[in-house]
Amino acid sequence: MGLIGDVIRVLFGGRGNMVRETAEVFRENAEAASARDAGLQMTAIEAFAAEFAHARRGRFDRFMDALNRVPRPALALSTLGLFAAAMVDPVWFADRMLGITLVPEPLWWLMGAIVSFYFGARQQVKGQEFQRSIAEVLVRANELRASTTVEEIAPVTAGFTQFGIRELAAPVHPTVDASDNEALQDWKAQHHGK
């Protein structure tokens, strides 16, 4: 019995777990890797949130943001207005479209580049604002998680525990009485008769 105990102690206990240490030479410890990844992500999120922590928007920024919202609705409404103008006064509309056909092609390319850069830049700004808001929420959630204790959470969850976890989680399977349902009786007769 002593020899078996010594072998087990050498392999699995004592000073170190020889099997685990040997396996970690060939395969990374998943738990340690997860902890490192979580730490890396939290560091990146905190750095990202710190970068934008003092970015408070003033009146001018809000005005410019409102002004930047005008072109898209203006383009959509003016296109609908062109359809209405073509129906109201076709001769006037034809004169205007003749003027557009005289615009040189390089000017069309320039206008296309300006419009695409405007909308692309706008999309990028909105995407960065969205990422910043997510980073702020994650940092606040981690601060709350770090500062909240079980005693602070207990009054919030007390209403749920009075019913008992098993009672809330138990699935309810209603029974169906098919005695007064002719369609169900016909279906049962067809399928159980085969």
Side-chain angles (χ1 to χ4, degrees):
M1 189 69 180
L3 181 62
I4 294 174
D6 290 342
V7 169
I8 289 175
R9 200 172 305 114
V10 166
L11 292 177
F12 300 108
R15 290 182 231 149
N17 189 334
M18 192 167 118
V19 173
R20 181 186 48 140
E21 291 170 0
T22 304
E24 286 179 359
V25 170
F26 299 105
R27 187 177 185 284
E28 181 182 27
N29 185 333
E31 184 177 352
S34 297
R36 284 191 302 272
D37 288 344
L40 178 65
Q41 288 176 350
M42 286 309 306
T43 304
I45 288 172
E46 288 169 359
F48 187 69
E51 181 179 351
F52 296 104
H54 303 292
R56 300 291 174 220
R57 299 171 57 96
R59 286 184 182 172
F60 179 74
D61 289 334
R62 289 193 304 259
F63 171 74
M64 290 307 293
D65 193 34
L67 192 61
N68 280 333
R69 292 181 182 168
V70 171
R72 279 180 285 218
L75 284 171
L77 292 174
S78 62
T79 303
L80 293 175
L82 287 174
F83 281 102
M87 288 185 280
V88 171
D89 191 359
V91 175
W92 178 88
F93 182 76
D95 288 341
R96 298 317 171 270
M97 293 301 110
L98 182 62
I100 288 179
T101 60
L102 298 176
V103 173
E105 189 175 343
L107 194 56
W108 283 112
W109 284 99
L110 180 62
M111 188 183 79
I114 290 171
V115 169
S116 63
F117 280 126
Y118 170 77
F119 287 116
R122 185 83 178 132
Q123 177 65 29
Q124 184 171 358
V125 165
K126 289 300 179 183
Q128 288 175 344
E129 287 177 2
F130 177 70
Q131 288 178 349
R132 177 181 20 183
S133 68
I134 286 184
E136 289 174 359
V137 167
L138 289 174
V139 167
R140 286 189 197 135
N142 287 328
E143 289 172 357
L144 180 65
R145 186 181 301 136
S147 66
T148 306
T149 63
V150 175
E151 291 79 21
E152 294 170 348
I153 296 174
V156 176
T157 59
F160 296 113
T161 58
Q162 71 183 0
F163 299 109
I165 298 298
R166 294 189 190 277
E167 293 174 11
L168 287 176
V172 177
H173 300 290
T175 57
V176 177
D177 182 23
S179 60
D180 61 344
N181 189 336
E182 292 180 23
L184 191 54
Q185 289 174 358
D186 291 342
W187 180 84
K188 281 184 177 180
Q190 289 175 357
H191 286 72
H192 291 297
K194 292 182 181 181

